[in-house]
Amino acid sequence: MSKETMSVQEMSAQMGISLPKAYELVKTPGFPSIRIGTRILIPVDAFREWLVITSNKQK
């Protein structure tokens, strides 16, 4: 069973960006994230969809 969410640290590593840049990205309007207390989680499927949509906008 694969994980449904990932942490900001995992997203940072997966994208190859710095942790501060990843936190900046999470605060961007429209970026898919869930706050549970102080923890920030990113739904994997929503993140992949956001990535495709965002990359298509920049073409």
Side-chain angles (χ1 to χ4, degrees):
M1 183 174 166
S2 61
K3 291 173 55 173
E4 295 293 321
T5 62
M6 64 179 149
S7 67
V8 177
Q9 291 86 351
E10 290 170 323
M11 182 194 66
S12 169
Q14 185 174 344
M15 291 186 73
I17 61 175
S18 68
L19 194 53
K21 187 54 96 174
Y23 276 105
E24 183 181 320
L25 186 57
V26 168
K27 294 177 185 176
T28 304
F31 186 86
S33 65
I34 303 167
R35 282 194 175 270
I36 301 175
T38 59
R39 192 152 184 217
I40 302 170
L41 297 173
I42 298 107
V44 173
D45 290 340
F47 170 72
R48 288 185 181 136
E49 184 179 327
W50 174 87
L51 198 55
V52 168
I53 291 168
T54 302
S55 65
N56 286 336
K57 285 181 182 178
Q58 295 182 3
K59 287 184 178 178

